[in-house]
Amino acid sequence: MSEVAEKQQVKEPLFSPKNMRLIKDPLNDNNPITVQVLGICSALAITVQMKQALVMAISVLFVVAGSNVIISLMRNYIPNRIRIIVQLVVVASLVIIVDQVLKAFVYDVSKQLSVFVGLIITNCIVMGRLEAFALGNTPWKSFLDGIGNSLGYGIILIIVAFFRELFGSGKLMGVQIIPDSFYEMGYFNNGLMILPPMALITVGVIIWVQRSYNKKLIEK
């Protein structure tokens, strides 16, 4: 019976509608930040600038997708009692790779992100996907699940960083957007936008807007 099920699984197209839902659902209906309320700490801490948010999003994507695939490949050989230790070793190894690559190629951003790259290992999204999905699914599905959840996480980070950097410093990706004439007319950057509490408020506004358009997310 298991062989028949395995054959049917092999015949399923790589990008079947069922597989594509693994990418689409976390973008909206099951977003890790706005619906599952995971990864909030990093969303508050590193969204002062879009560049930091983009680098963090790519880093988390690499770690989540990579660890999902590795744990999925090993899932039938990992004793249940030590599965958490194995998961931590895999995630920590990938985080070290990310940290070293950032220091080698974008050292300034690496310094700005500070300890938050290392703290990817404690991101609830990473361990949550390993426990909830990778341990029970094939490597391809686990890879798509990792990509989808990372993109859902990254989209929220970039949206929050967009508003914080634009209204907090008048820039986007370090480029001046608000013209000098605005400042000459009396415009001031909103210092509150670069403080962590404003990140929380911005996430709250995003959740409110999302639920206004997606009635499925409204709790009854």
Side-chain angles (χ1 to χ4, degrees), residues 31-220:
N31 187 277
I33 293 180
T34 59
V35 179
Q36 301 178 44
V37 197
L38 300 175
I40 292 291
C41 296
S42 58
L44 305 184
I46 52 86
T47 50
V48 177
Q49 295 180 354
M50 284 190 65
K51 190 174 183 180
Q52 295 178 17
L54 183 62
V55 171
M56 177 59 83
I58 295 172
S59 301
V60 170
L61 187 150
F62 174 77
V63 173
V64 177
S67 60
N68 260 14
V69 171
I70 294 172
I71 293 298
S72 178
L73 288 169
M74 299 168 62
R75 69 188 186 282
N76 295 326
Y77 308 99
I78 303 175
N80 188 54
R81 290 182 300 174
I82 62 168
R83 72 183 192 284
I84 298 296
I85 297 175
V86 175
Q87 291 170 13
L88 287 174
V89 170
V90 171
V91 173
S93 301
L94 294 176
V95 169
I96 290 172
I97 293 174
V98 169
D99 187 45
Q100 294 301 309
V101 170
L102 292 181
K103 286 179 178 175
F105 295 101
V106 283
Y107 184 69
D108 291 340
V109 177
S110 174
K111 287 179 62 178
Q112 292 170 351
L113 290 174
S114 184
V115 299
F116 291 101
V117 172
L119 289 177
I120 291 176
I121 191 174
T122 65
N123 191 315
C124 302
I125 298 172
V126 182
M127 295 301 292
R129 298 326 299 169
L130 295 178
E131 280 286 299
F133 199 89
L135 283 174
N137 289 278
T138 62
W140 175 245
K141 288 180 181 291
S142 299
F143 175 72
L144 295 180
D145 178 78
I147 295 292
N149 279 276
S150 302
L151 289 178
Y153 169 82
I155 287 172
I156 300 301
L157 250 62
I158 291 171
I159 292 174
V160 174
F162 174 86
F163 289 107
R164 293 186 71 189
E165 185 175 5
L166 179 62
F167 295 111
S169 61
K171 300 177 180 178
L172 287 177
M173 298 292 286
V175 178
Q176 187 72 37
I177 298 299
I178 296 179
D180 292 336
S181 57
F182 277 48
Y183 293 97
E184 294 171 358
M185 289 188 294
Y187 176 82
F188 289 96
N189 291 326
N190 188 341
L192 183 61
M193 292 298 293
I194 61 176
L195 298 178
M198 202 59 204
L200 185 62
I201 294 173
T202 306
V203 171
V205 171
I206 293 172
I207 292 174
W208 174 69
V209 172
Q210 184 185 22
R211 279 163 172 69
S212 298
Y213 284 95
N214 191 347
K215 303 299 182 185
K216 291 185 295 184
L217 299 178
I218 299 177
E219 298 177 359
K220 296 181 180 179

